[in-house]
Amino acid sequence: DPALATPSPSPASIIPGTGGGSGNDSTAGFGPGTGGGVGSGVGTGRGSGMGPGTGGGAGNVYLPSATQVFIPPEAPDRITPYTFVAHFDVDEKGKVLKIEFNESRDRDYNRRLRAMLAEVRFRPATTLDGVPIRATATIEFTVY
């Protein structure tokens, strides 16, 4: 997903920043970071990550959050214990665009599980300044 990709660090420039930072976007840095950011990151953002914008990049995003508790259907004894991991591609409006999960050995259980996963609703991910963005949410659960 391009929105979640972390750019590689840009080389420090010859423009000195204040507080030990260096700017490479024609601005002075503030702190030990590079790129005119505030904090220890690389890029024009605030924080310790890399990349442009507030928060400085990956790791500085509030991920999508489920709006209800997810409890999987009871699993048949022949497949327990079973740990599944479901990944949800959630758009900037909170709509689930795609669901992927590691399937069990039981096809019927997988159908029931997929139907329940399709009912999960999310609040969208946001940047630190509250702008909704597309991101991936993960739910992991072990059934015994």
Side-chain angles (χ1 to χ4, degrees):
D1 184 333
L4 299 179
T6 303
S8 52
S10 56
S13 88
I14 58 172
I15 303 170
T18 60
S22 63
N24 64 5
D25 62 353
S26 301
T27 65
F30 184 75
T34 60
V38 175
S40 60
V42 175
T44 58
R46 298 175 184 271
S48 59
M50 294 185 300
T54 301
N60 292 305
V61 167
Y62 296 108
L63 295 176
S65 57
T67 60
Q68 73 237 9
V69 174
F70 171 76
I71 300 174
E74 187 173 335
D77 289 339
R78 67 183 172 279
I79 66 165
T80 59
Y82 164 58
T83 299
F84 73 87
V85 180
H87 300 283
F88 299 82
D89 182 5
V90 181
D91 74 7
E92 59 279 348
K93 295 185 188 277
K95 179 181 177 186
V96 175
L97 303 175
K98 184 176 180 183
I99 301 170
E100 293 180 344
F101 69 98
N102 60 315
E103 294 186 345
S104 74
R105 297 177 307 248
D106 186 298
R107 294 169 102 176
D108 183 52
Y109 184 73
N110 293 337
R111 277 192 291 274
R112 290 186 292 143
L113 187 57
R114 183 173 298 281
M116 289 188 81
L117 291 171
E119 297 296 318
V120 178
R121 300 292 176 249
F122 289 89
R123 282 188 199 92
T126 61
T127 60
L128 288 178
D129 55 355
V131 177
I133 60 170
R134 182 176 173 175
T136 301
T138 302
I139 293 177
E140 183 173 334
F141 208 96
T142 302
V143 289
Y144 295 98

